[in-house]
Amino acid sequence: MPCAGSGGGVKGRGQRAAAGPGAAQAQRPAGDGSMEERKDSAEPAVTTTEEDEEEEEEEGGGLAERFLQLEKEHNALLRELPPFGAPVSHVYSPLDYAWEPHRDFVRRYCRGPKRVLFLGMNPGPFGMAQTGVPFGETRHVREWLGVSGEVGKPPSEHPKRPVLGLTCKRAEVSGTRFWGLVRTLCPDPHVFFRHCFVHNHCPLLFLAPSGRNLAPSELPPAQRVQLMGLCDRALARAVGLLGVRMVVGVGRFAEQRARRALAAAGVTVRIEGFPHPSPRSARANKGWEEQARARLGELGVLELFREGGGSPGGGRDGSEPPLVIKEEVEED
């Protein structure tokens, strides 16, 4: 997610390019982002049985590998993009140099279909850029999620944003807030991930010459459009693969991108917004946890944080039309 900063060059080889998805080399162009207004949906949660959940777990044997393959293919396309120009000086692709912990994260927690997908914007410099895990503040990644793996270096590293991996001592505020709340509400991570997953719309981190983290919206328009187009299509594929029924955009940008991407792909799922925990947000610095808890309650997601909880966004009783993805997606 785009909060804190992000550092890096693009490809992900450096010391160790763990056989990860193609490193996103030099910068990649991005996609524009005008979106539709958010429409609140007050759909009631639909309960599911333990038998339903067990069936889903059994199906998940190869789901993690298919998801990882999708990410590799997406990164291969990102590598084809031309280098980004000003204001970008460095691009980090953690799915390359931090592929090992990322793969561990996916294999541990993406073993079955997901009813809810929490969608972030792109990596932060002290979160996913260090650990390969979305909102990946190192302490929670190591101690609560139990993720491990070797982290290398991006080919071009910004001196003010070194990649230290799972030993990084600087905490990312967004990740600390996000995973801290989830951990408080759901002490066992396996219960949270039974129905939910966390993913980023864009896997690249962009840095300015000063080391400041650049959000995708700050990229040059032409490059942004290209980048966002690729990321939109990858998101639609991920939602279809995981059987997602509701996408929760963490922050306005992620919510709007989800609306745009899934509408263009012909994917019918519920899309909602969720307050971003970034310290850049004045609102988030004034009681973010209370706001977030309240929003989760409104969305009916808190129920999923309990063993055998229900499922927002539709059930298996035919109350919601099947998710459909068109074979071809129009260019932005």
Side-chain angles (χ1 to χ4, degrees):
M1 326 277 33
C3 309
S6 315
V10 185
K11 193 147 186 176
R13 266 193 208 137
Q15 296 181 348
R16 173 179 187 89
Q25 292 199 37
Q27 311 102 94
R28 335 311 198 186
D32 114 72
S34 58
M35 342 263 134
E36 309 108 325
E37 294 258 5
R38 186 170 124 246
K39 298 176 180 109
D40 288 74
S41 102
E43 300 180 22
V46 178
T47 57
T48 55
T49 66
E50 287 186 15
E51 291 180 353
D52 287 337
E53 294 169 354
E54 288 173 3
E55 287 176 9
E56 290 181 348
E57 295 260 342
E58 291 173 4
E59 295 173 3
L63 182 61
E65 299 310 314
R66 294 198 298 277
F67 186 80
L68 290 169
Q69 180 60 34
L70 185 158
E71 292 188 302
K72 289 181 181 180
E73 293 171 3
H74 179 40
N75 261 12
L77 294 175
L78 292 177
R79 283 203 312 275
E80 300 296 319
L81 296 174
F84 290 96
V88 179
S89 68
H90 292 71
V91 179
Y92 287 14
S93 177
L95 293 193
D96 182 38
Y97 63 80
W99 178 250
E100 286 191 12
H102 177 75
R103 181 178 57 194
D104 187 35
F105 169 69
V106 173
R107 286 178 173 173
R108 282 172 182 268
Y109 300 118
C110 192
R111 298 186 55 77
K114 306 298 179 183
R115 291 160 173 73
V116 178
L117 180 68
F118 285 91
L119 183 70
M121 186 161 71
N122 71 316
F126 306 108
M128 186 171 177
Q130 302 292 334
T131 65
V133 175
F135 290 102
E137 187 266 332
T138 54
R139 183 173 63 84
H140 281 90
V141 169
R142 288 194 319 264
E143 299 175 10
W144 188 58
L145 296 178
V147 168
S148 62
E150 184 175 346
V151 177
K153 293 277 190 179
S156 177
E157 187 175 47
H158 195 294
K160 292 184 179 179
R161 293 292 180 265
V163 172
L164 305 174
L166 295 172
T167 63
C168 179
K169 298 210 173 3
R170 182 163 175 177
E172 180 175 78
V173 176
S174 293
T176 300
R177 287 174 174 172
F178 181 84
W179 289 118
L181 174 62
V182 173
R183 184 176 187 176
T184 297
L185 297 174
C186 191
D188 182 351
H190 292 282
V191 174
F192 169 75
F193 286 106
R194 171 169 296 207
H195 300 299
C196 305
F197 197 59
V198 184
H199 183 57
N200 273 335
H201 176 259
C202 174
L204 304 177
L205 174 113
F206 304 95
L207 296 175
S210 65
R212 182 175 72 86
N213 180 35
L214 295 169
S217 59
E218 297 179 79
L219 299 174
Q223 293 184 315
R224 186 176 67 246
V225 169
Q226 264 189 300
L227 175 64
M228 293 296 100
L230 292 177
C231 294
D232 284 354
R233 288 187 280 279
L235 173 61
R237 292 181 63 200
V239 167
L241 175 64
L242 300 181
V244 173
R245 299 175 187 175
M246 179 165 74
V247 175
V248 178
V250 182
R252 186 63 172 162
F253 180 91
E255 178 194 350
Q256 292 180 326
R257 267 338 296 184
R259 291 186 183 283
R260 183 182 182 86
L262 300 183
V267 178
T268 304
V269 296
R270 183 178 169 190
I271 300 173
E272 298 288 351
F274 182 76
H276 200 293
S278 171
R280 290 186 180 185
S281 167
R283 184 183 176 191
N285 292 327
K286 296 179 180 178
W288 178 83
E289 184 172 326
E290 292 69 28
Q291 299 168 36
R293 282 174 181 259
R295 184 58 176 154
L296 290 174
E298 292 170 359
L299 298 178
V301 175
L302 288 177
E303 182 66 24
L304 301 184
F305 293 2
R306 306 188 187 97
E307 289 278 8
S311 157
R316 297 189 172 196
D317 58 359
S319 60
E320 182 158 71
L323 179 149
V324 178
I325 301 181
K326 295 187 298 187
E327 291 186 4
E328 295 190 55
V329 182
E330 296 180 359
E331 295 288 337
D332 282 42

